[in-house]
Amino acid sequence: MTTPLLAVQRVDKRYPNGTVALEDVRLDIEAGEFVSLLGPSGCGKSTLLKMFAGIEAPSHGHLRWWGGPFSTVGTPGRRMSMVFQEATLMPWASVADNVRLPLDLAGVPRREADARVSEALAGVGLAKFGAARPRELSGGMQMRASLARALVTEPDLLLLDEPFGALDEFTRNRLDSDLRTLWQRRNMTVVFVTHSIYEAVYLSSRVVVMQARPGRVIADVGIDGPQSRDEGWRVSAPFIDYCSTLSARISEAHAAQGDHYEGVQA
Ligand code: ADP
């Protein structure tokens, strides 16, 4: 048996105001997976992702990263980056300076850092925009810059919290497609938070479905789609089957709880 890259062992999270954000969450994520955490607003997706990033600690239970404590994260072969819902770029700095920030903080020499920034910008389709200021870019391009900043450190684990949720559907689809290609090209594990069933099925090798009050895992579905996914995957019979199955599982869980079904885009 291999050690999972991320192990969540009977984790509860109660915030100081008494909100129980997560209850008895158990989950293993293996190296190389593309896992989406899918569920309606308030089901604890962001809280769980923040725990993966070491920003929040569990109230009960344990997390392990590569079989060890959080202090081992950041060492070679165990690098982690996170992309937030907003691009969070420094408005006064150029796109290249923004992307170089994690390398500057790590003390990477300027010449090497600049080469890596150019490569990261090219990887997200922004090769010509290094000198631009963030405000000169569209929302989608700003998210690309944010993605480049996360990728410039060559993470083994990439965490994304609804990164494309504020973008129009066309831009979002493009970014989803590019993210999937980046994941395929690089040897990394991705955990992606979304409330869109379509986006989860398009992107993932596995979808972990969560439900609110209290936040918990209600389904864990492997997506046996093609390695290379294009627009054809979005309209294929298996894609539609996976979307229907997930939608039904979420509706059933809500009905069992006597809830209205809201917050997840089918
Ligand atoms: P999701 O990402 O699925 O929308 P969150 O993890 O953001 O869910 O939130 C789960 C629950 O925890 C929600 O009820 C939310 O209001 C609550 N919550 C999140 N962060 C905090 C916090 N810092 N303090 C108190 N309650 C919080």
Side-chain angles (χ1 to χ4, degrees):
M1 231 171 67
T2 55
T3 307
L5 191 157
L6 272 170
V8 183
Q9 297 160 345
R10 309 187 69 169
V11 159
D12 296 347
K13 177 67 183 182
R14 178 187 288 269
Y15 282 109
N17 68 357
T19 302
V20 180
L22 295 172
E23 191 175 81
D24 196 23
V25 174
R26 307 164 194 217
L27 186 66
D28 282 351
I29 294 177
E30 307 295 335
E33 286 194 293
F34 193 127
V35 178
S36 283
L37 303 179
L38 171 71
S41 294
C43 71
K45 306 181 295 296
S46 293
T47 299
L48 190 55
L49 201 76
K50 283 183 197 157
M51 283 188 189
F52 294 163
I55 299 168
E56 291 286 355
S59 310
H60 293 284
H62 300 280
L63 280 97
R64 309 290 284 170
W65 292 260
W66 287 275
F70 185 73
S71 56
T72 61
V73 174
T75 54
R78 297 179 179 192
R79 294 190 205 286
M80 178 172 71
S81 287
M82 183 154 173
V83 178
F84 296 92
Q85 288 173 13
E86 270 145 40
T88 62
L89 301 169
M90 301 177 291
W92 62 88
S94 71
V95 169
D97 287 348
N98 269 284
V99 173
R100 208 182 50 245
L101 180 68
L103 301 180
D104 290 344
L105 293 174
V108 175
R110 182 64 189 258
R111 187 189 289 254
E112 183 194 333
D114 281 342
R116 285 169 64 180
V117 167
S118 298
E119 195 189 324
L121 285 173
V124 298
L126 288 182
K128 294 189 186 138
F129 294 91
R133 303 276 155 195
R135 68 171 178 278
E136 297 172 81
L137 305 185
S138 67
M141 289 160 85
Q142 289 182 20
M143 278 318 303
R144 286 179 184 278
S146 180
L147 193 53
R149 185 182 53 196
L151 292 172
V152 79
T153 57
E154 296 179 1
D156 303 287
L157 172 62
L158 181 64
L159 307 173
L160 304 105
D161 190 356
E162 290 200 53
F164 314 139
L167 303 175
D168 67 80
E169 193 180 344
F170 303 99
T171 308
R172 181 194 242 198
N173 288 355
R174 281 285 303 276
L175 278 156
D176 282 344
S177 167
D178 290 352
L179 175 62
R180 172 90 196 173
T181 306
L182 285 162
W183 168 74
Q184 270 183 288
R185 278 201 206 129
R186 290 164 176 254
N187 190 17
M188 64 181 177
T189 307
V190 172
V191 184
F192 186 94
V193 163
T194 181
H195 58 261
S196 161
I197 295 175
Y198 289 142
E199 190 173 38
V201 175
Y202 177 78
L203 283 170
S204 317
S205 53
R206 176 179 168 205
V207 179
V208 172
V209 186
M210 297 178 66
Q211 196 186 6
R213 290 187 297 278
R216 62 200 184 282
V217 173
I218 57 159
D220 193 335
V221 178
I223 307 294
D224 188 15
Q227 265 301 100
S228 285
R229 298 184 184 177
D230 54 17
E231 290 309 299
W233 168 236
R234 286 189 198 282
V235 291
S236 67
F239 179 90
I240 292 160
D241 279 352
Y242 280 123
C243 291
S244 309
T245 304
L246 287 169
S247 183
R249 295 292 286 274
I250 293 165
S251 298
E252 279 160 25
H254 279 259
Q257 205 176 38
D259 244 2
H260 289 298
Y261 174 26
E262 60 181 31
V264 174
Q265 298 167 357

